[in-house]
Every structure is written in structure tokens, then in C-alpha cells.
Amino acid sequence: MKVCGLSWRRLVQCLLTGLLTAGVLYCFLYFHFSRHPHSYPTSHLDLQASTSLPISPHAVTWSGAGHDVTERATSEGMQHLREFQSAAHHYWRKLQDLLVARNRAKFPSVSYWNCSCLWESDADNHTGNATLLTTNVTRLKTPQDYLAETQNCTRFVLHGGFKMAAVSEEELAFPLAFSLLVYKDLDQVVRLLRAVYRPHNVYCVHADRKSPDTFHSSLRHVISCLPNVMLLDTAVDVQWGRYSVLKPEILCLRMLWQHATKWRYFINLTGQEFPLKTNKELVQILTAFRGANDIRGTQHPRFSGRWKKNLPAPYNLTVSKGAVHIVASRAFADYVLHSRVARDLLTWATQVRFPEEIFFSTLNHNPHLGVPGSYTGDIADPFKETFHRFKLWNTTGFPHVQPCAGRWVRGICHFGVHDVTRMTRSPRLFANKFSYDLQPLAYDCLEEWYWHKVQLEDSGRPPPLNVSLYEESNIVKFRYQGPVLIWQ
């Protein structure tokens, strides 16, 4: 669309140029008269100097009250002016960069392999080059690379891909909150953050205390360039199966709650995951949730050994075992952070094994509490489906139907290339888990597919999304919608 033959972008550029010129002139005049108070005329000032930039170091003449006052700017004053002009020019370049930000970053793509075969055809019959699948062709960025790139935050944000996705009004009206618990592979962490990053959302990142100093320092520099991303000050020494896994989640949730953004849903992530849904799709899906929480839960006796010796739980709650991954409404987060029930349960959970799998799940599966968005149906219902993760297990009690194309590590599939096809066709929101040193092409191709969907959305051709699948799910049908029943 054009106005008077000019595009909107050109009009904005002209407007900003005019404002910048006026600002420079005003600052010069203010500086001049603050240093030379005797040059203030008594009335009706008429500016005779040129308003063009750069301002000449020659005389500036004012007329008024029947006399002229001519003053040559001092060399010191002109030095300050030149410094100001330089800073103003630098700021203007930043504004220009922001105007064309979408054109500065390239969408991630794999040049050495045709990834589209993984989502456009039956990839199970596409073997490809077995050596290539396990070879790391892409050069990963090191912490030192990120230290260098973040010396110029504007360039890092624009050229690093954090402005690649357009944001719709629907997304702006439905901000999300994310926590990221990370400890290694900084390049993979930044690529995950870039994928889920939108300037109106809010993020909290926790780095394990055991991580190398270079990891902490580089991550801190990356986060300092993103104003809506916060780094948790308290670095917890995370130990598998202990309360230290849950503690940073609670700390991040509290930090996110205190942020001015009134986000609608909370999603917790780890550094070895990647989204299967774009932010636009997440907003559509979570809108369809209508306040329901996506939190796994089971009360099968085979898990009771984790907490049996610590019974009874506070308020005689029935303990439920879930997963560390959750998608929770803002109202649920309010209950977690501020109710006495949740506080007492958290204290109790510090004494049991794997509290991160017990705390959120127990709150979500005790209907008599009236926790917002909690599940009121039969917890043993085989049709109770959760959507938060595409994750394959190979442990007792979790019979895996689908094979793992990568490698089983402590009962969890670390994905391979031929797992990607199932991910792209899955209704799940995120995929866990990726080890980039195993089959890096799996991660690279999934990343390309994700950004390909973003491109389709931005061009007005979004890929189809079956929202009714989520609307009609049991976690939505049997969500609790009444008032909180037990708070203290």
C-alpha cells in the first residue's frame, strides 16, 4: 500500500528522519544556551541558522529586542555536538535495521540433504546416506562465538533470527510464559530459544550451577540482548531425582508471575527439546484448552515406592505421578505460588524421590481441591491424552509402540532422522529429546520444517491444524471450572 506514491516503510523512514533532525537541533540549542546564558534574547526569537545536518561550526545568529547576538560555538561544545551526532547516527542505523529486520536473517535450512522428504513423503522407506545421517556437517557455534556476536545486540537480534516470525493480533492478545532449564550445548539452547521467542512473550532461563563458566558467561550475554528474557539469579546444582530439579521451575514460575506481562499459559522446557508447533499454533491450541491444564498423571501402585514411606501427604491428598513437562494455565500457576495447600505439598515433596513428577501432577489430579483447570475425570481413563510432549519411553510401565530411530539412553529415545516424520505428523507440542552429537541431521531437519511452517504462516498460507482434536480432548472436557475449594 502506498500513500502519495510512497510506501509505508518509506513514509516511516521520512518521519523518523524528521524527528531525528529536530531532536539533534533541539539538543544543540539547549547545549549552546546552557553554556552561554548571556546569549538568551529577551523576546521573540527568530532562528536564522540553517537546520540542515551536520550543523556548521560557524556563527549562530539570533535577532530580537532590537539587537543581534552572535556567538561562535566553542571547540569543546562542538566536540560534544559531534559526539551526539555520532550517537544519533548510530541510533538511526538501529531504527533502519528494525524496519528491515525480517530481511536480515535467513530461515534455517539444510543445504547438504533434502529434508523435505521427511514430511512430504513416506520417510520410513527413505534411507539416504547412512554416513551422512550421523555426520555433523553443520558447524556449531561455540560460547566464544556468542560472546563475540552479542557485543552488538541489535545486530545479534536481527541477524540471529530473533525477528524472523511475524506476530499476529491473536498472538499479542495471548502472551505465553516459558521456563528453560539448561546446562550444556549452548548453540542448541539458542536455537531452541530462537524458535520459541516472540517479543511479546516472557521467558525465564536457568543454567545449572555445574555448567562451565564459559557457558554461563555466553548465555548471560545472549539473554542481555533480549529484553523479555530473564536469567534466574540463583544457579541451582541440579541432581537427578531430587528436589533440585523442581526448585528452579518454581523459582522461574515465581519470576514470570512477577513480570508485568499478564501471560495466559506457562510451558516449561529443557535445552534438548524443540517445538513441533509454531507460536501461532500454540495460541490456537491453548485457546481451545479453555483454561485446562495439560499435566500427565497416574496413581498406579507400581510408582508408590517413591513416596510410600512419606505418607500421608498433606491434606490427605492422593499422590499422583506425572512428568516433569507441563502446560499450565495462569490460574493454576496462581494456585501453585500462593495457596497454602501447594506450599505444604511442596515442603512435603522435597522428601520424596522425583518430586518434579509428583508436585504438579498431584495438584492437578485431586478434584476436591478445586484447582483451576485441573482434571476431574477418571485418572485411569485410557482415552485421557496429553499433548505437551512427543517422547518415547522404553522402561517398565511405558511400553513403546513406536521404535526409536536414534538411541535409547536411560529409557528415553534420543531421536534419529527417521523419527522426524512421526513428529511432523503428531499433535504434540514439543519433541524431547535430542542429542546433537548422535544424529544432528534429525535436529537440523526438524528446525527447517518448523521455520518452513512459519514462512507459510507469514505468507498467509498456514498449514492445516485440527483444533477440534484439542477442543474435544478429555483434559478439556473434564477440566475443573468452578471456584477454588481449598486454598488454605
Side-chain angles (χ1 to χ4, degrees), residues 408-481:
W408 295 105
V409 180
R410 289 191 291 273
I412 299 175
C413 177
H414 289 226
F415 298 123
V417 172
H418 296 301
D419 293 314
V420 173
T421 301
R422 286 171 285 166
M423 297 178 201
T424 62
R425 300 171 184 175
S426 170
R428 305 296 193 272
L429 309 185
F430 294 84
N432 176 295
K433 175 178 235 183
F434 290 92
S435 292
Y436 199 80
D437 57 354
L438 177 61
Q439 289 190 26
L441 188 60
Y443 191 91
D444 291 344
C445 282
L446 186 66
E447 183 181 44
E448 178 181 322
W449 169 77
Y450 173 87
W451 286 108
H452 175 68
K453 290 206 299 178
V454 171
Q455 285 181 290
L456 291 176
E457 290 176 340
D458 291 353
S459 64
R461 298 176 292 117
L465 177 67
N466 183 11
V467 179
S468 62
L469 176 67
Y470 307 95
E471 290 175 330
E472 298 170 4
S473 65
N474 280 357
I475 63 171
V476 175
K477 288 180 180 178
F478 296 104
R479 73 192 186 281
Y480 182 75
Q481 304 178 63

Side-chain angles (χ1 to χ4, degrees), residues 78-183:
M78 290 312 302
Q79 177 63 28
H80 282 282
L81 179 60
R82 282 191 290 270
E83 292 175 357
F84 177 82
Q85 285 181 275
S86 176
H89 177 74
H90 179 66
Y91 179 70
W92 169 236
R93 291 302 307 168
K94 286 187 177 182
L95 290 177
Q96 286 183 315
D97 283 344
L98 288 172
L99 288 172
V100 294
R102 298 281 306 285
N103 298 327
R104 295 299 178 93
K106 295 181 179 179
F107 285 94
S109 62
V110 178
S111 60
Y112 60 92
W113 206 70
N114 180 20
C115 288
S116 63
C117 68
L118 295 178
W119 61 84
E120 292 179 353
S121 62
D122 184 5
D124 291 335
N125 296 323
H126 186 95
T127 57
N129 187 323
T131 302
L132 188 59
L133 300 186
T134 57
T135 301
N136 186 0
V137 178
T138 304
R139 178 190 175 275
L140 296 181
K141 292 183 180 180
T142 66
Q144 290 73 21
D145 291 332
Y146 282 109
L147 278 176
E149 290 182 9
T150 51
Q151 296 304 307
N152 184 330
C153 278
T154 300
R155 182 176 180 83
F156 173 72
V157 171
L158 299 182
H159 292 258
F162 288 90
K163 290 280 189 177
M164 285 194 294
V167 178
S168 66
E169 292 185 8
E170 182 184 14
E171 292 173 271
L172 289 174
F174 204 99
L176 304 176
F178 295 84
S179 70
L180 282 78
L181 272 57
V182 302
Y183 71 99

Side-chain angles (χ1 to χ4, degrees), residues 187-199:
D187 189 62
Q188 196 171 327
V189 170
V190 175
R191 290 164 73 177
L192 166 63
L193 182 58
R194 177 177 63 185
V196 299
Y197 180 83
R198 301 296 183 272

Side-chain angles (χ1 to χ4, degrees), residues 169-178 200-202 253 256-257 259-267 282-294 327-334 372-373:
E169 292 185 8
E170 182 184 14
E171 292 173 271
L172 289 174
F174 204 99
L176 304 176
F178 295 84
H200 67 289
N201 291 337
V202 60
L253 186 58
L256 292 166
W257 180 269
H259 195 274
T261 299
K262 302 302 180 184
W263 44 268
R264 304 288 292 275
Y265 266 86
F266 166 75
I267 302 173
L282 285 176
V283 167
Q284 294 178 58
I285 292 168
L286 297 180
T287 300
F289 274 13
R290 291 179 286 172
N293 306 314
D294 188 354
V327 177
S329 68
R330 182 177 180 85
F332 181 87
D334 186 15

